[in-house]
Amino acid sequence: MRTIELAGASVAVIGQGTWRMGEDPSRRREEVAALREGIELGLRLIDTAEMYGEGGAETVVGEAIAGLRDQAFLVSKVYPHNASRAGVIAACERSLARLGSEVIDLYLLHWRGQYPLAETVEAFERLREQGKIRRWGVSNFDVDDLEELNQPGCATNQVLYNAEARGIEFDLLPWQQRQGMPLMAYCPIGQAGQLLRNPALLDVAQRHGCTPAQVALAWVLRQPGVIAIPKAVDSHHLRLNAEAAVLHLSAEDLATIDAALPAPTRKRALEMI
Ligand code: NDP
């Protein structure tokens, strides 16, 4: 699978999301199996957060990577209300315990909250020095937030990006590309909602003999410096997602999608879910 460089690590451009995992104990076995199968398929970057299932998703991830830690690239996130100098350290230690791991590969501030960014960054740097995280980044930051942050050590910014939510193409995505900061696209298949029923995606999928979800992923990945983190528990979905890494959309395909879901022509407020 194609990889990109993320602050000294080489990561596959398609990873695995975990939102909604760890909420229902009756689904736990299936979720653990899905994450393990995803790793085998090369979807080694696993994105989680202390928020997901209030720690439940991290516990599922911990179970899934038991014995496979070296094969996974773990991403987790701290809640903004825990992002104080001391709060980040304590939250990270709780996450590490749930993940059953000694280190998180990439630790993100989930979104901006009440604490000064400098305080959060200081705590991230301390965690890095202590070997509890390997690198850090942010999520749901717009250009003005990243400019205010002004930290070359910020490894990524994780934001909403799919063919229905293209606002970042106007300024944020080019800004990150200029800085060489990979962008991690969340909800890349629009949470399997109306995006997958859009006639343009259906049309392109038919041309390639693939599914609209695969088109949605290939569309997000058509740009350099982008990583997509679809969440899939269904084994069939996982395999289709891994295969989407080799799907190449033609200029005609992109024009079909642009006509239905146009690129932004002015600044839009950063969309979040
Ligand atoms: P996604 O766009 O990844 O959609 C997930 C849904 O799509 C699930 O219902 C899944 O079903 C289905 N699906 C997966 N693959 C396919 C496929 N090939 N064909 C059809 N359906 C498919 O939405 P998410 O909200 O989960 O976003 C992805 C990840 O991004 C999250 O899990 C989370 O890790 C992260 N995220 C981060 C946020 C942030 O603020 N930083 C906010 C939101 C998400 P099934 O599970 O049954 O396979």
Side-chain angles (χ1 to χ4, degrees), residues 22-86:
E23 293 179 357
D24 176 355
S26 72
R27 298 207 66 196
R28 186 184 181 92
R29 187 192 290 245
E30 210 189 336
E31 292 165 353
V32 167
L35 290 171
R36 291 180 78 92
E37 184 180 357
I39 292 172
E40 268 173 42
L41 290 166
L43 312 177
R44 294 186 177 163
L45 182 152
I46 300 181
D47 178 77
T48 190
E50 62 172 335
M51 184 187 106
Y52 303 160
E54 291 302 326
E58 288 181 327
T59 312
V60 168
V61 173
E63 196 175 327
I65 61 165
L68 300 175
R69 177 63 186 94
D70 293 348
Q71 294 183 46
F73 183 93
L74 284 186
V75 184
S76 194
K77 313 184 198 78
V78 59
Y79 263 129
H81 64 250
N82 285 334
S84 65
R85 200 173 278 111

Side-chain angles (χ1 to χ4, degrees), residues 16 45 82 113 123 150 159 164 167 195 204 208 212 239 253:
Q16 301 189 72
L45 182 152
N82 285 334
N150 190 26
V159 292
E164 282 177 332
L195 177 64
V204 173
H208 289 271
R239 276 179 274 122
D253 298 332

Side-chain angles (χ1 to χ4, degrees), residues 83-268:
S84 65
R85 200 173 278 111
V88 174
I89 310 281
C92 182
E93 282 167 359
R94 290 192 297 271
S95 288
L96 287 169
R98 287 189 290 260
L99 290 163
S101 182
E102 283 175 3
V103 60
I104 291 171
D105 295 294
L106 173 63
Y107 197 40
L108 308 179
L109 173 61
H110 209 147
W111 64 91
R112 260 191 102 160
Q114 81 239 49
Y115 292 105
L117 292 175
E119 206 176 302
T120 308
V121 169
E122 194 185 308
F124 280 158
E125 287 295 343
R126 181 159 325 144
L127 286 168
R128 211 160 59 84
E129 284 157 21
Q130 292 172 346
K132 291 176 181 161
I133 66 171
R134 292 208 165 98
R135 49 190 78 67
W136 61 267
V138 296
S139 176
N140 297 302
F141 270 42
D142 207 342
V143 172
D144 55 348
D145 301 306
L146 288 173
E147 281 175 343
E148 186 184 328
L149 179 70
N150 190 26
Q151 286 282 340
C154 177
T156 192
N157 179 28
Q158 182 182 114
V159 292
L160 175 66
Y161 185 44
N162 61 50
E164 282 177 332
R166 300 184 65 168
I168 64 161
E169 288 176 19
F170 187 76
D171 53 353
L172 181 62
L173 179 58
W175 189 96
Q176 290 195 214
Q177 285 169 331
R178 280 197 303 275
Q179 304 284 323
M181 182 195 290
L183 182 139
M184 214 176 274
Y186 72 67
C187 304
I189 52 176
Q191 299 189 311
Q194 61 179 10
L195 177 64
L196 302 190
R197 296 185 291 277
N198 186 289
L201 269 80
L202 289 164
D203 186 9
V204 173
Q206 198 170 25
R207 281 181 214 160
H208 289 271
C210 68
T211 71
Q214 290 180 305
V215 173
L217 281 176
W219 183 88
V220 160
L221 295 172
R222 77 199 186 286
Q223 309 240 27
V226 177
I227 300 166
I229 47 167
K231 172 257 180 189
V233 174
D234 183 297
S235 170
H236 184 54
H237 288 163
L238 277 169
R239 276 179 274 122
L240 290 169
N241 293 351
E243 285 166 14
V246 294
L247 176 61
H248 178 75
L249 301 181
S250 67
E252 189 193 349
D253 298 332
L254 298 180
T256 302
I257 295 171
D258 281 343
L261 301 162
T265 53
R266 59 179 173 78
K267 170 73 187 159
R268 290 187 199 153

